[in-house]
Amino acid sequence: MGLELYLDLLSQPCRAVYIFAKKNGIPFELRTVDLLKGQHHSDDFAQVNPLKKVPALKDGDFTLAESVAILLYLSRKYETPDHWYPQDLQARARVDEYLAWQHTALRTSCTRTLWQKMMFPVFLGQRVPPEMLASTLAELDRCLQLFEDKFLKDQDFLAGSHISVADLVAITELMHLDLFLCQIFKSRPKLEAWRQRVEAAVGEGLFQEAHAAIMKAKDLPPADAAMKEKLKPFIQLLLQ
Amino acid sequence: MGRGRGVGRAAGRQSQRPPYCVRCPWRREAGLPPTMGLELYLDLLSQPCRAVYIFAKKNSIPFELRTVDLRKGQHLSDAFAQISPLQKVPVLKDGDFTLTESVAILLYMTRKYKVPDHWYPQDLQARARVDEYLAWQHMALRRNCLRALWHKVMLPVFLGEPVSPEMLAATLAELDVTLQVLEDKFLQDKAFLAGPHVSLADLVAITELMHPVGAGCQVFEGRPKLAVWRQRVEAAVGEVLFQEAHEVILKAKHSQPADPTIKQKMMSRVLAMIQ
């Protein structure tokens, strides 16, 4: 058995791994783990990743969780072009810095915003105190500003003049936010310009393909009671 | 810290520029400005700072220690904002290059100073295990250890904000679940988290676990596997260095109450941090 990637493209980190593998022509078997159907809780999948999360990788007997670890493993094993994870000490440090920061900053802020703007009011019918929502949105705004000012700065990409794994992790996160919540690219020209560069570097076809699942989800009609019940696990997976 | 070494080396070798030159006398004589070697902005109260400190010391990486006293709000000063707009520790400064995030700092030092392989093994799969742990821990062990310290000690003692017994119990229960994952998924039957030798993963993990220990939580009680692993890591690091790095956190419960102005400045950031 060759390389297997256990993914659900509804998940941001899965999209980053998918794009990276496809872009670099890394041969793999796609094993879809349907989060909406709760397949990540199956005993079979627990053999691959006892943390019960996607993405997960299986390479012969070797299994690996965590998208950042998977991206770095793939970049090393398949000797992908240098710009993805540059050899240069400082450029590489910039990628590491972003990959570390995003866990507790952008990712967390995105999740919390989704909870408070969508999950609570729309699907659980629970009112979120306006002050709490305002504080959450302010925090998101702060994260996005930090992203622009401290990480992107005046560069074309996060680590300099070429796309890296940091950009893949970031774009998939921001696409999630943009599609489900607030049109963040529309109101932030610098981010929009970067988004276009990333999409061009990845290739429009692949980029659209990776985001097809969440594009479709976005076009769902407004939820009635039965639909809300059905969509609850979907929202929960967004908050994975 | 690194100062004595840098100057000592520089004095005897005028033709060769020392790698870690700190206010070298020959530069002064030549009318050149002093160069800084590596600077590490740390407060050993913070877990990631301890990991960075231990790693640098253990590998004899010369550095200037710049203490940023978190309890005095020094990280919120304008001066420190010049160093890092994120206003967090640890921060590394290597000449003009500034780097935040302890994982990035550890990896930078690993590569620049060519430390022994076991810290971040060349072997593809062993390295992936380290990466996997370093990624997972941010929102898992790190978060729970931080919350345990703040809910048990720092909020009531340092900030004078009581924490309900229910909240504390919930936090400690979450920590317990995470400790089980640490044992079952990461450590398993290995000597260390990524294999037979100590690595960055163990350093990051142990410094996290000392946070609830500092708060008075009996983290290793009833967990013989983790207790044995802890002893191994402590032995690998060196007991003296380990104790030195943890002196501050072990006294955390005796923190002086925060200055009211500092408290006001810190409050919202603290609440965001432990959310």
Side-chain angles (χ1 to χ4, degrees), chain A residues 50-51 62-66 68-69 72-73 76-77 85 89-90 92-94 96-97 100-101 103-104 108 112 146 150, chain B residues 85-86 97-101 103-104 107-108 111-112 120 124-125 127-129 131-132 135-136 138-139 181 185-186 275:
Chain A
L51 296 169
F62 180 67
T63 56
L64 189 64
E66 292 295 332
V68 169
L72 296 182
Y73 178 83
R76 287 170 186 134
K77 179 162 180 175
Y85 193 54
L89 192 67
Q90 292 187 6
R92 182 167 285 197
R94 286 282 164 247
D96 289 333
E97 190 185 42
W101 176 81
H103 283 285
T104 53
T108 301
R112 191 167 295 132
L146 265 172
K150 188 252 170 327
Chain B
L86 292 170
F97 180 67
T98 306
L99 188 63
T100 64
E101 291 297 332
V103 169
L107 292 175
Y108 180 83
R111 290 167 185 135
K112 179 163 181 173
Y120 194 55
L124 192 67
Q125 293 186 3
R127 181 168 284 196
R129 286 279 160 255
D131 287 334
E132 187 187 49
W136 172 82
H138 286 282
M139 286 310 287
V181 176
K185 147 80 189 152
F186 291 99
Q275 218 165 355

Short mmCIF file of all heavy atoms in Angstrom, two decimals, chain A residues 50-51 62-66 68-69 72-73 76-77 85 89-90 92-94 96-97 100-101 103-104 108 112 146 150, chain B residues 85-86 97-101 103-104 107-108 111-112 120 124-125 127-129 131-132 135-136 138-139 181 185-186 275:
data_model
loop_
_atom_site.label_atom_id
_atom_site.label_comp_id
_atom_site.label_asym_id
_atom_site.label_seq_id
_atom_site.Cartn_x
_atom_site.Cartn_y
_atom_site.Cartn_z
N PRO A 50 -5.65 7.86 16.51
CA PRO A 50 -6.39 7.76 17.77
C PRO A 50 -6.91 9.11 18.26
O PRO A 50 -7.81 9.15 19.11
CB PRO A 50 -5.38 7.17 18.75
CG PRO A 50 -4.05 7.28 18.09
CD PRO A 50 -4.26 7.41 16.64
N LEU A 51 -6.40 10.21 17.72
CA LEU A 51 -6.90 11.54 18.08
C LEU A 51 -8.23 11.81 17.39
O LEU A 51 -8.89 12.82 17.67
CB LEU A 51 -5.88 12.63 17.74
CG LEU A 51 -4.55 12.58 18.49
CD1 LEU A 51 -3.54 13.53 17.87
CD2 LEU A 51 -4.75 12.92 19.96
N PHE A 62 3.47 3.37 8.98
CA PHE A 62 3.67 4.65 9.69
C PHE A 62 2.43 5.52 9.57
O PHE A 62 1.97 5.82 8.47
CB PHE A 62 4.89 5.35 9.08
CG PHE A 62 5.20 6.68 9.71
CD1 PHE A 62 5.66 6.76 11.03
CD2 PHE A 62 5.06 7.86 9.00
CE1 PHE A 62 5.95 7.98 11.61
CE2 PHE A 62 5.35 9.10 9.57
CZ PHE A 62 5.79 9.14 10.88
N THR A 63 1.88 5.93 10.71
CA THR A 63 0.73 6.84 10.69
C THR A 63 1.14 8.17 11.31
O THR A 63 2.00 8.22 12.19
CB THR A 63 -0.47 6.27 11.47
OG1 THR A 63 -0.05 5.99 12.81
CG2 THR A 63 -1.00 4.99 10.85
N LEU A 64 0.51 9.24 10.84
CA LEU A 64 0.87 10.57 11.31
C LEU A 64 -0.35 11.47 11.35
O LEU A 64 -1.16 11.49 10.43
CB LEU A 64 1.93 11.16 10.34
CG LEU A 64 2.61 12.47 10.74
CD1 LEU A 64 3.44 12.31 12.01
CD2 LEU A 64 3.52 12.95 9.59
N ALA A 65 -0.48 12.22 12.44
CA ALA A 65 -1.56 13.20 12.58
C ALA A 65 -0.96 14.60 12.51
O ALA A 65 0.26 14.76 12.44
CB ALA A 65 -2.27 13.00 13.91
N GLU A 66 -1.84 15.62 12.57
CA GLU A 66 -1.43 17.04 12.56
C GLU A 66 -0.97 17.51 11.17
O GLU A 66 0.08 17.10 10.66
CB GLU A 66 -0.31 17.30 13.58
CG GLU A 66 -0.76 17.16 15.02
CD GLU A 66 -1.81 18.21 15.42
OE1 GLU A 66 -1.82 19.32 14.84
OE2 GLU A 66 -2.63 17.91 16.31
N VAL A 68 0.44 20.18 10.07
CA VAL A 68 1.78 20.79 9.95
C VAL A 68 2.83 19.67 9.85
O VAL A 68 3.70 19.72 8.98
CB VAL A 68 2.07 21.74 11.14
CG1 VAL A 68 3.53 22.15 11.17
CG2 VAL A 68 1.18 22.97 11.07
N ALA A 69 2.70 18.67 10.69
CA ALA A 69 3.65 17.54 10.65
C ALA A 69 3.55 16.80 9.31
O ALA A 69 4.57 16.41 8.74
CB ALA A 69 3.37 16.58 11.80
N LEU A 72 5.21 18.85 6.49
CA LEU A 72 6.67 18.80 6.56
C LEU A 72 7.19 17.42 6.17
O LEU A 72 8.20 17.30 5.47
CB LEU A 72 7.15 19.18 7.98
CG LEU A 72 6.83 20.62 8.41
CD1 LEU A 72 7.39 20.92 9.80
CD2 LEU A 72 7.36 21.64 7.42
N TYR A 73 6.50 16.37 6.59
CA TYR A 73 6.88 15.00 6.22
C TYR A 73 6.85 14.83 4.70
O TYR A 73 7.80 14.32 4.10
CB TYR A 73 5.91 14.01 6.88
CG TYR A 73 6.14 12.56 6.54
CD1 TYR A 73 7.10 11.81 7.23
CD2 TYR A 73 5.40 11.92 5.54
CE1 TYR A 73 7.31 10.46 6.94
CE2 TYR A 73 5.61 10.57 5.24
CZ TYR A 73 6.55 9.85 5.95
OH TYR A 73 6.77 8.52 5.65
N ARG A 76 9.67 16.68 2.91
CA ARG A 76 10.98 16.03 3.03
C ARG A 76 11.03 14.75 2.22
O ARG A 76 11.98 14.51 1.47
CB ARG A 76 11.29 15.71 4.49
CG ARG A 76 11.62 16.94 5.30
CD ARG A 76 11.69 16.69 6.79
NE ARG A 76 11.86 17.96 7.47
CZ ARG A 76 11.18 18.36 8.54
NH1 ARG A 76 10.27 17.57 9.08
NH2 ARG A 76 11.41 19.55 9.07
N LYS A 77 10.04 13.91 2.41
CA LYS A 77 10.07 12.60 1.74
C LYS A 77 10.08 12.74 0.22
O LYS A 77 10.78 12.01 -0.47
CB LYS A 77 8.88 11.74 2.19
CG LYS A 77 8.88 10.39 1.49
CD LYS A 77 8.05 9.34 2.16
CE LYS A 77 8.18 8.04 1.31
NZ LYS A 77 7.51 6.90 1.90
N TYR A 85 9.40 24.98 1.83
CA TYR A 85 9.93 24.99 3.21
C TYR A 85 11.42 25.28 3.06
O TYR A 85 12.26 24.39 3.09
CB TYR A 85 9.69 23.64 3.88
CG TYR A 85 9.90 23.64 5.38
CD1 TYR A 85 9.25 24.57 6.20
CD2 TYR A 85 10.73 22.71 6.00
CE1 TYR A 85 9.43 24.57 7.57
CE2 TYR A 85 10.92 22.70 7.38
CZ TYR A 85 10.27 23.63 8.16
OH TYR A 85 10.43 23.63 9.53
N LEU A 89 17.94 29.61 6.57
CA LEU A 89 17.65 29.59 8.01
C LEU A 89 16.53 30.54 8.42
O LEU A 89 15.59 30.17 9.12
CB LEU A 89 18.94 29.92 8.75
CG LEU A 89 18.97 29.70 10.25
CD1 LEU A 89 18.88 28.23 10.59
CD2 LEU A 89 20.24 30.29 10.84
N GLN A 90 16.66 31.79 7.98
CA GLN A 90 15.70 32.80 8.42
C GLN A 90 14.34 32.66 7.72
O GLN A 90 13.30 32.82 8.34
CB GLN A 90 16.27 34.21 8.22
CG GLN A 90 17.45 34.47 9.16
CD GLN A 90 17.95 35.91 9.14
OE1 GLN A 90 17.35 36.78 8.50
NE2 GLN A 90 19.03 36.18 9.85
N ARG A 92 13.06 29.89 6.63
CA ARG A 92 12.44 28.72 7.24
C ARG A 92 11.85 29.07 8.61
O ARG A 92 10.77 28.62 8.98
CB ARG A 92 13.45 27.58 7.37
CG ARG A 92 12.87 26.31 7.96
CD ARG A 92 13.79 25.14 7.79
NE ARG A 92 13.77 24.65 6.41
CZ ARG A 92 14.21 23.46 6.04
NH1 ARG A 92 14.70 22.63 6.94
NH2 ARG A 92 14.18 23.09 4.79
N ALA A 93 12.61 29.89 9.36
CA ALA A 93 12.13 30.31 10.67
C ALA A 93 10.82 31.08 10.55
O ALA A 93 9.93 30.97 11.40
CB ALA A 93 13.19 31.16 11.37
N ARG A 94 10.70 31.87 9.51
CA ARG A 94 9.46 32.64 9.29
C ARG A 94 8.29 31.69 9.03
O ARG A 94 7.17 31.93 9.49
CB ARG A 94 9.60 33.59 8.08
CG ARG A 94 10.47 34.80 8.34
CD ARG A 94 9.75 35.87 9.13
NE ARG A 94 10.70 36.83 9.69
CZ ARG A 94 10.94 36.98 10.99
NH1 ARG A 94 10.32 36.25 11.89
NH2 ARG A 94 11.82 37.86 11.41
N ASP A 96 8.11 28.54 10.12
CA ASP A 96 7.86 27.89 11.42
C ASP A 96 7.08 28.82 12.34
O ASP A 96 6.18 28.38 13.06
CB ASP A 96 9.18 27.54 12.11
CG ASP A 96 9.92 26.39 11.44
OD1 ASP A 96 9.26 25.54 10.80
OD2 ASP A 96 11.16 26.34 11.57
N GLU A 97 7.45 30.08 12.32
CA GLU A 97 6.82 31.06 13.20
C GLU A 97 5.33 31.18 12.87
O GLU A 97 4.48 31.17 13.77
CB GLU A 97 7.51 32.41 13.03
CG GLU A 97 7.11 33.48 14.04
CD GLU A 97 7.75 34.82 13.71
OE1 GLU A 97 7.80 35.20 12.52
OE2 GLU A 97 8.19 35.51 14.66
N ALA A 100 3.38 28.01 13.84
CA ALA A 100 3.16 27.91 15.29
C ALA A 100 2.08 28.89 15.74
O ALA A 100 1.14 28.53 16.44
CB ALA A 100 4.47 28.17 16.04
N TRP A 101 2.22 30.14 15.31
CA TRP A 101 1.30 31.21 15.72
C TRP A 101 -0.15 30.90 15.38
O TRP A 101 -1.07 31.13 16.17
CB TRP A 101 1.73 32.52 15.07
CG TRP A 101 0.83 33.68 15.33
CD1 TRP A 101 0.81 34.48 16.45
CD2 TRP A 101 -0.17 34.22 14.45
NE1 TRP A 101 -0.15 35.46 16.31
CE2 TRP A 101 -0.77 35.33 15.10
CE3 TRP A 101 -0.63 33.88 13.16
CZ2 TRP A 101 -1.79 36.10 14.51
CZ3 TRP A 101 -1.66 34.64 12.58
CH2 TRP A 101 -2.22 35.73 13.27
N HIS A 103 -1.97 28.31 15.18
CA HIS A 103 -2.74 27.36 16.00
C HIS A 103 -3.59 28.09 17.03
O HIS A 103 -4.78 27.83 17.18
CB HIS A 103 -1.80 26.43 16.78
CG HIS A 103 -1.19 25.34 15.98
ND1 HIS A 103 -1.88 24.22 15.58
CD2 HIS A 103 0.06 25.19 15.53
CE1 HIS A 103 -1.07 23.42 14.89
NE2 HIS A 103 0.12 23.99 14.85
N THR A 104 -2.93 28.96 17.79
CA THR A 104 -3.62 29.59 18.91
C THR A 104 -4.15 30.97 18.56
O THR A 104 -4.83 31.58 19.37
CB THR A 104 -2.68 29.74 20.11
OG1 THR A 104 -1.50 30.41 19.68
CG2 THR A 104 -2.33 28.40 20.71
N THR A 108 -7.90 29.66 16.22
CA THR A 108 -8.76 29.77 17.41
C THR A 108 -9.78 30.88 17.23
O THR A 108 -10.96 30.71 17.55
CB THR A 108 -7.90 30.08 18.64
OG1 THR A 108 -6.97 29.02 18.79
CG2 THR A 108 -8.73 30.19 19.90
N ARG A 112 -13.87 30.43 17.16
CA ARG A 112 -14.71 31.12 18.13
C ARG A 112 -15.73 32.01 17.42
O ARG A 112 -16.90 32.07 17.81
CB ARG A 112 -13.85 31.96 19.07
CG ARG A 112 -14.61 32.51 20.27
CD ARG A 112 -13.71 33.07 21.33
NE ARG A 112 -12.88 32.03 21.92
CZ ARG A 112 -11.57 32.13 22.11
NH1 ARG A 112 -10.93 33.24 21.79
NH2 ARG A 112 -10.90 31.15 22.64
N LEU A 146 -2.80 41.60 12.48
CA LEU A 146 -1.47 41.05 12.78
C LEU A 146 -0.95 40.24 11.60
O LEU A 146 0.22 40.31 11.24
CB LEU A 146 -1.53 40.12 14.00
CG LEU A 146 -1.19 40.74 15.34
CD1 LEU A 146 -1.48 39.75 16.46
CD2 LEU A 146 0.26 41.17 15.40
N LYS A 150 2.33 41.92 10.64
CA LYS A 150 3.50 41.27 11.18
C LYS A 150 3.97 40.09 10.31
O LYS A 150 5.16 39.84 10.18
CB LYS A 150 3.20 40.76 12.61
CG LYS A 150 4.45 40.23 13.36
CD LYS A 150 4.44 38.75 13.51
CE LYS A 150 5.66 38.02 14.00
NZ LYS A 150 7.00 38.41 13.75
N PRO B 85 5.98 43.33 18.47
CA PRO B 85 4.64 43.89 18.56
C PRO B 85 3.60 42.90 19.10
O PRO B 85 2.54 43.31 19.54
CB PRO B 85 4.32 44.27 17.10
CG PRO B 85 5.32 43.59 16.25
CD PRO B 85 6.50 43.30 17.09
N LEU B 86 3.93 41.63 19.13
CA LEU B 86 3.00 40.64 19.69
C LEU B 86 2.98 40.69 21.21
O LEU B 86 2.08 40.17 21.85
CB LEU B 86 3.37 39.22 19.23
CG LEU B 86 3.17 38.92 17.75
CD1 LEU B 86 3.80 37.60 17.36
CD2 LEU B 86 1.68 38.87 17.42
N PHE B 97 17.64 40.13 13.10
CA PHE B 97 16.57 39.14 12.91
C PHE B 97 15.87 38.87 14.23
O PHE B 97 16.48 38.48 15.21
CB PHE B 97 17.19 37.86 12.35
CG PHE B 97 16.20 36.76 12.10
CD1 PHE B 97 15.24 36.89 11.10
CD2 PHE B 97 16.20 35.58 12.85
CE1 PHE B 97 14.32 35.87 10.86
CE2 PHE B 97 15.29 34.56 12.62
CZ PHE B 97 14.35 34.71 11.62
N THR B 98 14.55 39.12 14.24
CA THR B 98 13.76 38.88 15.44
C THR B 98 12.78 37.75 15.17
O THR B 98 12.14 37.72 14.11
CB THR B 98 12.97 40.16 15.82
OG1 THR B 98 13.89 41.24 15.92
CG2 THR B 98 12.25 40.00 17.14
N LEU B 99 12.64 36.85 16.12
CA LEU B 99 11.78 35.68 15.95
C LEU B 99 10.95 35.43 17.19
O LEU B 99 11.45 35.48 18.31
CB LEU B 99 12.67 34.46 15.66
CG LEU B 99 11.99 33.14 15.26
CD1 LEU B 99 11.25 33.28 13.93
CD2 LEU B 99 13.02 32.03 15.15
N THR B 100 9.66 35.20 16.99
CA THR B 100 8.76 34.83 18.10
C THR B 100 8.36 33.36 17.94
O THR B 100 8.74 32.72 16.96
CB THR B 100 7.50 35.70 18.12
OG1 THR B 100 6.74 35.44 16.92
CG2 THR B 100 7.83 37.16 18.19
N GLU B 101 7.56 32.87 18.89
CA GLU B 101 7.07 31.48 18.89
C GLU B 101 8.17 30.50 19.30
O GLU B 101 9.13 30.24 18.56
CB GLU B 101 6.50 31.06 17.53
CG GLU B 101 5.21 31.77 17.17
CD GLU B 101 4.06 31.43 18.13
OE1 GLU B 101 4.06 30.33 18.72
OE2 GLU B 101 3.16 32.28 18.30
N VAL B 103 8.43 27.30 19.41
CA VAL B 103 8.74 26.17 18.52
C VAL B 103 9.68 26.65 17.40
O VAL B 103 10.68 25.99 17.10
CB VAL B 103 7.45 25.54 17.96
CG1 VAL B 103 7.76 24.56 16.84
CG2 VAL B 103 6.68 24.84 19.07
N ALA B 104 9.37 27.80 16.83
CA ALA B 104 10.22 28.36 15.77
C ALA B 104 11.60 28.69 16.32
O ALA B 104 12.62 28.44 15.64
CB ALA B 104 9.57 29.60 15.18
N LEU B 107 13.60 25.46 16.84
CA LEU B 107 14.05 24.91 15.55
C LEU B 107 15.18 25.77 14.96
O LEU B 107 16.13 25.23 14.40
CB LEU B 107 12.87 24.81 14.59
CG LEU B 107 11.81 23.77 14.97
CD1 LEU B 107 10.61 23.82 14.01
CD2 LEU B 107 12.39 22.36 14.97
N TYR B 108 15.07 27.08 15.10
CA TYR B 108 16.12 27.98 14.61
C TYR B 108 17.45 27.69 15.29
O TYR B 108 18.49 27.54 14.63
CB TYR B 108 15.69 29.43 14.85
CG TYR B 108 16.68 30.47 14.39
CD1 TYR B 108 16.70 30.89 13.05
CD2 TYR B 108 17.57 31.07 15.28
CE1 TYR B 108 17.59 31.87 12.62
CE2 TYR B 108 18.47 32.04 14.86
CZ TYR B 108 18.48 32.44 13.53
OH TYR B 108 19.36 33.41 13.11
N ARG B 111 19.03 24.37 14.19
CA ARG B 111 19.70 24.40 12.88
C ARG B 111 20.95 25.26 12.91
O ARG B 111 21.98 24.87 12.39
CB ARG B 111 18.74 24.93 11.82
CG ARG B 111 17.63 23.95 11.53
CD ARG B 111 16.49 24.54 10.72
NE ARG B 111 15.44 23.55 10.61
CZ ARG B 111 14.14 23.80 10.77
NH1 ARG B 111 13.73 25.03 11.03
NH2 ARG B 111 13.25 22.83 10.68
N LYS B 112 20.85 26.45 13.52
CA LYS B 112 21.99 27.36 13.47
C LYS B 112 23.18 26.83 14.24
O LYS B 112 24.32 26.99 13.82
CB LYS B 112 21.59 28.74 14.00
CG LYS B 112 22.76 29.72 13.98
CD LYS B 112 22.37 31.17 14.08
CE LYS B 112 23.64 32.01 14.02
NZ LYS B 112 23.40 33.44 13.95
N TYR B 120 16.30 16.86 17.27
CA TYR B 120 15.39 16.98 16.13
C TYR B 120 15.95 16.06 15.04
O TYR B 120 16.64 16.49 14.14
CB TYR B 120 15.34 18.45 15.66
CG TYR B 120 14.19 18.76 14.72
CD1 TYR B 120 12.86 18.49 15.08
CD2 TYR B 120 14.41 19.38 13.49
CE1 TYR B 120 11.81 18.79 14.24
CE2 TYR B 120 13.35 19.69 12.64
CZ TYR B 120 12.05 19.40 13.02
OH TYR B 120 10.99 19.72 12.19
N LEU B 124 13.44 10.60 9.02
CA LEU B 124 12.17 11.15 8.54
C LEU B 124 11.01 10.91 9.51
O LEU B 124 10.27 11.83 9.86
CB LEU B 124 11.86 10.51 7.19
CG LEU B 124 10.73 11.11 6.37
CD1 LEU B 124 11.07 12.50 5.89
CD2 LEU B 124 10.45 10.21 5.16
N GLN B 125 10.88 9.66 9.93
CA GLN B 125 9.74 9.33 10.78
C GLN B 125 9.91 9.84 12.21
O GLN B 125 8.97 10.33 12.82
CB GLN B 125 9.48 7.82 10.76
CG GLN B 125 9.01 7.34 9.39
CD GLN B 125 8.60 5.88 9.37
OE1 GLN B 125 8.60 5.20 10.39
NE2 GLN B 125 8.27 5.38 8.18
N ARG B 127 11.57 12.46 13.10
CA ARG B 127 11.37 13.90 13.02
C ARG B 127 9.88 14.23 12.94
O ARG B 127 9.41 15.18 13.56
CB ARG B 127 12.11 14.47 11.82
CG ARG B 127 11.98 15.98 11.68
CD ARG B 127 12.94 16.54 10.69
NE ARG B 127 14.29 16.59 11.25
CZ ARG B 127 15.29 17.31 10.74
NH1 ARG B 127 15.10 18.03 9.66
NH2 ARG B 127 16.48 17.30 11.30
N ALA B 128 9.17 13.41 12.16
CA ALA B 128 7.72 13.63 12.02
C ALA B 128 7.02 13.47 13.37
O ALA B 128 6.07 14.20 13.67
CB ALA B 128 7.13 12.66 11.01
N ARG B 129 7.49 12.57 14.19
CA ARG B 129 6.91 12.39 15.53
C ARG B 129 7.11 13.64 16.38
O ARG B 129 6.24 14.05 17.14
CB ARG B 129 7.57 11.20 16.26
CG ARG B 129 7.14 9.84 15.77
CD ARG B 129 5.79 9.41 16.36
NE ARG B 129 5.20 8.38 15.54
CZ ARG B 129 4.16 8.58 14.71
NH1 ARG B 129 3.59 9.76 14.60
NH2 ARG B 129 3.69 7.59 13.99
N ASP B 131 7.54 16.72 15.17
CA ASP B 131 6.66 17.74 14.57
C ASP B 131 5.21 17.53 15.01
O ASP B 131 4.50 18.49 15.30
CB ASP B 131 6.71 17.66 13.03
CG ASP B 131 8.02 18.18 12.46
OD1 ASP B 131 8.68 19.02 13.10
OD2 ASP B 131 8.37 17.74 11.34
N GLU B 132 4.81 16.29 15.02
CA GLU B 132 3.43 15.96 15.38
C GLU B 132 3.13 16.41 16.80
O GLU B 132 2.10 17.04 17.07
CB GLU B 132 3.23 14.45 15.25
CG GLU B 132 1.80 13.96 15.41
CD GLU B 132 1.73 12.43 15.45
OE1 GLU B 132 2.51 11.82 16.20
OE2 GLU B 132 0.90 11.87 14.71
N ALA B 135 3.06 20.27 17.12
CA ALA B 135 1.84 20.87 16.56
C ALA B 135 0.65 20.64 17.51
O ALA B 135 -0.09 21.56 17.83
CB ALA B 135 1.54 20.29 15.18
N TRP B 136 0.50 19.41 17.96
CA TRP B 136 -0.64 19.03 18.80
C TRP B 136 -0.69 19.82 20.10
O TRP B 136 -1.75 20.26 20.56
CB TRP B 136 -0.58 17.54 19.09
CG TRP B 136 -1.59 17.05 20.09
CD1 TRP B 136 -2.91 16.75 19.86
CD2 TRP B 136 -1.36 16.81 21.49
NE1 TRP B 136 -3.51 16.34 21.04
CE2 TRP B 136 -2.59 16.36 22.04
CE3 TRP B 136 -0.25 16.94 22.34
CZ2 TRP B 136 -2.73 16.03 23.40
CZ3 TRP B 136 -0.39 16.60 23.69
CH2 TRP B 136 -1.62 16.17 24.20
N HIS B 138 0.01 22.77 21.18
CA HIS B 138 -0.44 24.16 21.28
C HIS B 138 -1.83 24.27 21.91
O HIS B 138 -2.05 25.04 22.83
CB HIS B 138 -0.52 24.82 19.90
CG HIS B 138 0.79 25.16 19.31
ND1 HIS B 138 1.53 26.27 19.68
CD2 HIS B 138 1.50 24.56 18.33
CE1 HIS B 138 2.64 26.32 18.97
NE2 HIS B 138 2.65 25.30 18.14
N MET B 139 -2.77 23.51 21.31
CA MET B 139 -4.16 23.65 21.74
C MET B 139 -4.57 22.55 22.70
O MET B 139 -5.72 22.44 23.06
CB MET B 139 -5.09 23.63 20.52
CG MET B 139 -5.05 24.91 19.71
SD MET B 139 -5.27 26.36 20.76
CE MET B 139 -7.01 26.26 21.16
N VAL B 181 -4.01 11.33 26.95
CA VAL B 181 -3.62 11.32 25.53
C VAL B 181 -2.10 11.35 25.42
O VAL B 181 -1.51 10.64 24.59
CB VAL B 181 -4.25 12.51 24.77
CG1 VAL B 181 -3.77 12.56 23.33
CG2 VAL B 181 -5.77 12.45 24.83
N LYS B 185 -1.15 8.12 23.43
CA LYS B 185 -0.88 8.34 21.99
C LYS B 185 0.57 8.74 21.75
O LYS B 185 1.18 8.34 20.77
CB LYS B 185 -1.86 9.40 21.45
CG LYS B 185 -1.37 10.33 20.36
CD LYS B 185 -1.36 9.75 18.97
CE LYS B 185 -0.64 10.67 17.97
NZ LYS B 185 -0.06 9.91 16.86
N PHE B 186 1.13 9.56 22.63
CA PHE B 186 2.47 10.09 22.34
C PHE B 186 3.59 9.28 22.99
O PHE B 186 4.53 8.88 22.33
CB PHE B 186 2.54 11.58 22.70
CG PHE B 186 1.72 12.43 21.78
CD1 PHE B 186 0.45 12.86 22.15
CD2 PHE B 186 2.20 12.79 20.53
CE1 PHE B 186 -0.33 13.62 21.28
CE2 PHE B 186 1.42 13.56 19.65
CZ PHE B 186 0.16 13.97 20.03
N GLN B 275 -8.66 31.52 27.64
CA GLN B 275 -10.02 31.17 27.20
C GLN B 275 -10.13 29.74 26.65
O GLN B 275 -9.24 29.30 25.95
CB GLN B 275 -10.45 32.15 26.10
CG GLN B 275 -11.89 32.53 26.20
CD GLN B 275 -12.21 33.75 25.34
OE1 GLN B 275 -11.31 34.34 24.75
NE2 GLN B 275 -13.46 34.11 25.26
#
